[in-house]
Amino acid sequence: ICKPKERGGLGVRDLRVFNIALLGKWWWKVRNEKESLWYLVLEKYGHSLEENNNRSSIWWRDLNGMKLVQERGGNGWFEEHLRRVVGDGKDTMFWKDPWVDGDTLRILFSRLYDLTTDKEACIAEMISEEDGLKKI
């Protein structure tokens, strides 16, 4: 059924693979378009890509489930293949985005993350400049 028509099939897409591809696209958009109207609406029905609970909508639960798709590499497969370019630091989360050698500071320095009160801060908010020197 899923084979192309030219090869004797019906040309029906493998819905599981197609769904994973669409969820991957949405996952990317959620990570990069947090100011868009669609994100602000969907945020009311779930919390984030960081948590998965029964109160979230089915869409958010499926999106969070992307991290657990076994045939695609298992836990964290999607994020493992992303790299973040910091730029001015306004769009990169200090603790939660993989901007230091592909790892998040939340994982590299979990004890500091547990102690901080600025868990949602971006890099630009965490870095100051004094006498030409940048300080965290």
Side-chain angles (χ1 to χ4, degrees):
I1 292 177
C2 294
K3 287 183 183 178
K5 290 179 183 178
E6 301 83 41
R7 292 181 35 210
L10 296 177
V12 176
R13 294 180 185 203
D14 183 337
L15 294 181
R16 178 161 171 70
V17 172
F18 189 65
N19 187 48
I20 289 170
L22 287 176
L23 286 170
K25 182 177 179 180
W26 278 110
W27 199 92
W28 177 259
K29 286 176 160 275
V30 165
R31 297 285 290 187
N32 294 292
E33 298 177 11
K34 293 186 185 231
E35 301 300 321
S36 63
L37 179 60
W38 68 267
Y39 178 81
L40 298 174
V41 170
L42 288 173
E43 190 177 37
K44 295 183 183 298
Y45 298 99
H47 300 285
S48 72
L49 291 172
E50 308 301 329
E51 56 187 66
N52 195 9
N53 60 46
N54 291 333
R55 293 177 302 188
S56 297
S57 72
I58 189 72
W59 185 83
W60 278 102
R61 284 183 278 177
D62 282 350
L63 204 58
N64 277 304
M66 284 290 293
K67 297 182 250 182
L68 304 174
V69 178
Q70 292 302 316
E71 66 266 15
R72 299 288 178 240
N75 200 8
W77 70 273
F78 196 85
E79 280 186 328
E80 286 175 7
H81 294 89
L82 298 178
R83 294 295 176 261
R84 188 81 177 175
V85 176
V86 175
D88 63 7
K90 293 179 181 174
D91 295 324
T92 305
M93 301 295 288
F94 184 81
W95 291 104
K96 296 181 178 181
D97 284 333
W99 64 279
V100 178
D101 293 331
D103 288 321
T104 65
L105 293 180
R106 178 180 63 180
I107 292 170
L108 292 173
F109 302 100
S110 60
R111 180 74 176 124
L112 280 176
Y113 176 75
D114 290 341
L115 296 173
T116 189
T117 58
D118 296 328
K119 289 180 174 52
E120 301 297 323
C122 67
I123 292 174
E125 296 168 338
M126 298 293 280
I127 296 177
S128 63
E129 191 168 337
E130 292 179 19
D131 301 325
L133 297 174
K134 293 190 177 191
K135 299 180 178 185
I136 296 179

